[in-house]
Amino acid sequence: MSEIVLAADFAIIIVAAAVVGLLAKQTGQPTIIAYILTGLLLGPAVFGVITPGELTETMAELGLGFLLFLLGIKMRLDDVKDILRPIVNIAVLQTILQTALAFAVAWFLGFTLIETIIIALATVFGATPIIVKILTDKDEITAMPGKIDVGVLIVQDIYLVFVLALLGAGQLDSPTEIGVTIVTITVLISLIGIIAFASSRYLLPRLFRRIADNKDIFFLVAIAWAFLFILISEELNLSLEVGAFLAGMSIAQLPYSTELEDRVGPITDFFILVFFVAIGLQLEAADLFAYWMEAIIASVVLMVGNFWIMFYLIDREGFSVETSFLGSLNMIQVSEFSLVVGGIAITAGFIDEPILGYLSLMALMTMSISVYIINYNHQIYDRVQPFFTRWESEEKVDAELPEYNDHAVVIGYDEITKNVLPILDREFDQLVVVDRKAAHREELEQKGYDTVFGDFRHTEVRKAAGLKRASFVLSSTMQPEVNKALLSELSSKTTVFVEANWIDDARELYKLGAHYVIMSTHLTAERVSDYLELYFEDPDEFERMTKVDIERIQKYPAEGLDMDGVSILSWDEDAATNGGEKE
């Protein structure tokens, strides 16, 4: 009977979250807010339909682990290496100053010392999923403000892991215990971190190179890697989030992480749904609104204060006023991780549910507002720009960041794209090849070409290749739905070459804006007909032409075969989309 009840509870949670999520999407709100509201509606705060059970709590804990694992996968140090020094300066001081501000606000509002400490620790983080998603959708994640924000979020997330481990230890009774706990946690996290990054340099590249071509094994090994580090953290009496985050960060430094990020996303979304619904289920109406006035005051003060702290820190590093403004405006919210910290603090017995309600209200209000602020950040800057001219200086010039722009993108590595790469490399300053075969990636990098490993159909892979900013795109897949989606995503200014297997597909692709459709099947048929005519009409010329073809084949013997010895000329029609992998 209990199994039936659990199944019914999950069905209600999923259906309700889907409905509330659709409503949130219509208003431009992030799904995280929809999940929290779903928990509030289903829990004792409103209707009291569902009571948290052991299974819900277990899956919520797994959700937190997967959230930190996915967060770790996004933390690619190469993304910020060009501005690493100023980012570290900004992030460290930002953490100190915003923690001090949050502490002062909570103390002024009358919370106890331990409650004030927890609130200050919980409200210092930016909403990583929201910031990264909106900036990515706006194609601003690789701009200077986006780079700065991502770098600061990386440092914040490392700090978050430390805070979670400290609260999970449950020892804050005396200064001596706090000191011993901090030292112990620092040593243990450093030990796990050393193992993780040593693995990312010596073990993981070899392991993933061998399995990357098999999508299923590739995915399972990555998940197993996360659970291995979760197990290590549990054995060392650290929270599972520590291991999950460091496992993700170790994978993030590999060229295969972009592909994995898209594949882990769906399963992570499900567990995240359960986690944030579970947060809402814990709260009663009295707890949620116990400190509603304090939550409003704190939200306003922290949003304004966080902006000016970030603006001062970015500006003092010599960035332009516009970069300082936009980078600060993106980081004003109290993030969903305040609920993560609050939930663990409740489990450890440091705070009660009304404090979690206070944190929940702040997160809901500030995240809801910040969604619109980030979406309209440039319009806001245009309005207030005259006021900020006082900070302008000729010495404040943003550094040039390497990114793909007005470049060429080649999708798939086969006999067609192989021959055109030298031409594109000559005509464009930047050229990137998208392919999902590990051996091809290595071969391309040996020839000096930039590569993005992964299936082109995955959103993160297309973003990594800078598809929307490309001047020229060549797609060597014959799958019409893929090429149609490609043409719909690109602007009319981008020159696009695609392949087609059938005449009807070619006609439609031309109508959709393709500049040239490669019809290799029909071209081959015409060439066979020409050769056959030549064989009967002029045997000597036929023999000469045949010798020329044989010489060409002998000149490029290795390039006519893939690494498994399979003729590229006999690939499946969707091989290029999957990076040469046969389905």
Side-chain angles (χ1 to χ4, degrees):
M1 186 69 179
S2 60
E3 289 82 0
I4 297 175
V5 173
L6 286 173
D9 285 350
F10 262 100
I12 294 171
I13 288 173
I14 298 302
V15 172
V19 173
V20 178
L22 288 173
L23 294 175
K25 186 176 181 181
Q26 296 300 315
T27 58
Q29 291 298 317
T31 52
I32 289 171
I33 291 179
Y35 300 155
I36 298 171
L37 291 176
T38 300
L40 292 172
L41 291 172
L42 298 179
V46 183
F47 297 116
V49 177
I50 294 176
T51 302
E54 184 177 346
L55 180 60
T56 307
E57 292 173 359
T58 301
M59 294 194 69
E61 190 173 9
L62 279 175
L64 182 55
F66 272 102
L67 175 61
L68 270 293
F69 179 58
L70 183 61
L71 197 63
I73 293 176
K74 293 177 179 288
M75 300 295 105
R76 302 180 185 92
L77 298 180
D78 282 346
D79 291 346
V80 295
K81 65 180 181 181
D82 299 290
I83 50 173
L84 189 59
R85 183 192 60 78
I87 278 179
V88 172
N89 293 340
I90 294 168
V92 172
L93 289 174
Q94 177 263 353
T95 300
I96 295 171
L97 294 176
Q98 289 193 9
T99 301
L101 175 63
F103 184 95
V105 172
W107 184 256
F108 175 79
L109 291 173
F111 292 101
T112 66
L113 178 60
I114 189 65
E115 290 171 346
T116 300
I117 292 173
I118 298 299
I119 291 169
L121 292 175
T123 54
V124 72
F125 308 105
T128 302
I130 294 173
I131 295 170
V132 170
K133 184 179 188 309
I134 296 177
L135 292 181
T136 301
D137 291 343
K138 295 182 65 180
D139 203 21
E140 294 180 12
I141 196 70
T142 56
M144 183 61 76
K147 289 278 189 180
I148 293 172
D149 291 339
V150 168
V152 172
L153 290 171
I154 289 176
V155 178
Q156 282 188 357
D157 292 335
I158 294 172
Y159 175 57
L160 168 67
V161 169
F162 186 85
V163 170
L164 294 178
L166 180 62
L167 294 177
Q171 297 180 18
L172 294 175
D173 296 330
S174 69
T176 302
E177 288 183 341
I178 292 174
V180 171
T181 302
I182 289 175
V183 172
T184 303
I185 289 172
T186 302
V187 171
L188 293 177
I189 290 180
S190 299
L191 176 63
I192 299 175
I194 291 171
I195 295 173
F197 284 97
S199 300
S200 72
R201 184 164 185 178
Y202 301 107
L203 172 63
L204 293 181
R206 296 179 182 179
L207 174 62
F208 278 90
R209 188 184 303 122
R210 295 177 66 89
I211 65 172
D213 293 340
N214 188 316
K215 292 182 180 180
D216 295 331
I217 298 299
F218 174 71
F219 175 73
L220 288 175
V221 169
I223 297 299
W225 183 254
F227 277 104
L228 172 63
F229 274 76
I230 287 173
L231 178 62
I232 293 173
S233 293
E234 294 281 358
E235 290 297 319
L236 295 176
N237 292 321
L238 295 171
S239 63
L240 65 85
E241 300 83 29
V242 174
F245 179 76
L246 292 174
M249 276 201 75
S250 62
I251 292 176
Q253 315 316 314
L254 304 177
Y256 315 103
S257 60
T258 306
E259 164 86 355
L260 182 61
E261 186 180 334
D262 248 358
R263 302 212 66 196
V264 172
I267 187 173
T268 304
D269 289 342
F270 173 76
F271 282 112
I272 288 174
L273 181 155
V274 177
F275 173 76
F276 285 107
V277 168
I279 291 287
L281 290 174
Q282 292 182 46
L283 298 171
E284 296 185 4
D287 295 332
L288 182 63
F289 296 105
Y291 298 105
W292 67 269
M293 182 60 72
E294 289 87 346
I296 293 174
I297 295 171
S299 296
V300 173
V301 174
L302 289 180
M303 283 194 294
V304 174
N306 289 348
F307 169 82
W308 282 109
I309 288 172
M310 280 293 291
F311 182 85
Y312 165 72
L313 294 175
I314 299 174
D315 181 73
R316 74 193 288 269
E317 291 296 330
F319 292 100
S320 69
V321 173
E322 183 176 6
T323 292
S324 301
F325 181 90
L326 296 176
S328 304
L329 202 63
N330 297 336
M331 299 278 288
I332 63 171
Q333 67 286 116
V334 173
S335 86
E336 73 283 357
F337 288 116
S338 64
L339 308 185
V340 175
V341 174
I344 292 178
I346 284 181
T347 303
F350 295 125
I351 60 173
D352 297 321
E353 278 75 7
I355 304 300
L356 182 60
Y358 167 79
L359 293 172
S360 299
L361 272 183
M362 281 203 297
L364 289 170
M365 287 188 290
T366 59
M367 284 194 296
S368 299
I369 294 170
S370 71
V371 166
Y372 299 106
I373 288 177
I374 297 174
N375 273 317
Y376 296 101
N377 54 5
H378 288 280
Q379 291 88 330
I380 295 172
Y381 178 72
D382 290 339
R383 291 290 185 91
V384 301
Q385 192 264 343
F387 173 78
F388 283 86
T389 54
R390 66 190 69 187
W391 282 279
E392 289 180 354
S393 169
E394 293 182 358
E395 297 176 357
K396 295 177 180 178
V397 179
D398 293 341
E400 291 291 332
L401 288 177
E403 66 173 4
Y404 295 122
N405 200 25
D406 294 329
H407 58 299
V409 176
V410 174
I411 302 160
Y413 187 53
D414 58 14
E415 77 284 357
I416 292 178
T417 58
K418 182 176 300 187
N419 290 329
V420 304
L421 284 178
I423 300 172
L424 295 175
D425 192 34
R426 183 185 69 220
E427 296 295 329
F428 291 90
D429 294 332
Q430 295 175 307
L431 169 64
V432 58
V433 184
V434 179
D435 195 272
R436 210 208 161 277
K437 198 169 182 67
H440 288 169
R441 186 190 66 80
E442 293 178 1
E443 181 183 343
L444 286 162
E445 290 190 343
Q446 287 175 0
K447 293 181 177 182
Y449 298 120
D450 289 352
T451 61
V452 173
F453 178 87
D455 190 329
F456 175 75
R457 288 170 289 197
H458 289 168
T459 304
E460 294 299 327
V461 172
R462 298 198 299 275
K463 290 175 181 175
L467 183 67
K468 291 184 178 180
R469 299 187 301 275
S471 291
F472 181 92
V473 176
L474 168 59
S475 169
S476 64
T477 177
M478 293 185 185
Q479 296 182 64
E481 67 277 6
V482 174
N483 286 327
K484 290 174 187 176
L486 169 67
L487 289 166
S488 67
E489 189 169 342
L490 294 170
S491 71
S492 58
K493 297 179 181 179
T494 305
T495 302
V496 186
F497 281 33
V498 294
E499 272 198 86
N501 200 23
W502 306 105
I503 291 293
D504 289 341
D505 292 334
R507 292 193 186 104
E508 187 170 1
L509 290 170
Y510 274 122
K511 288 180 181 178
L512 292 173
H515 292 76
Y516 181 67
V517 179
I518 305 164
M519 296 287 293
S520 56
T521 304
H522 292 274
L523 294 175
T524 301
E526 289 182 10
R527 186 164 184 125
V528 170
S529 299
D530 292 340
Y531 269 55
L532 194 59
E533 291 282 358
L534 196 61
Y535 173 78
F536 289 113
E537 295 178 3
D538 192 345
D540 293 335
E541 180 63 15
F542 171 80
E543 186 175 354
R544 189 189 70 79
M545 294 295 291
T546 305
K547 287 181 179 179
V548 171
D549 286 350
I550 292 173
E551 289 174 2
R552 287 178 178 172
I553 293 171
Q554 291 175 341
K555 183 179 180 181
Y556 304 105
E559 295 185 5
L561 299 173
D562 68 7
M563 298 304 290
D564 298 321
V566 180
S567 173
I568 288 177
L569 297 176
S570 63
W571 273 12
D572 292 312
E573 65 180 28
D574 63 338
T577 303
N578 292 321
E581 179 184 351
K582 284 194 166 191
E583 298 290 349

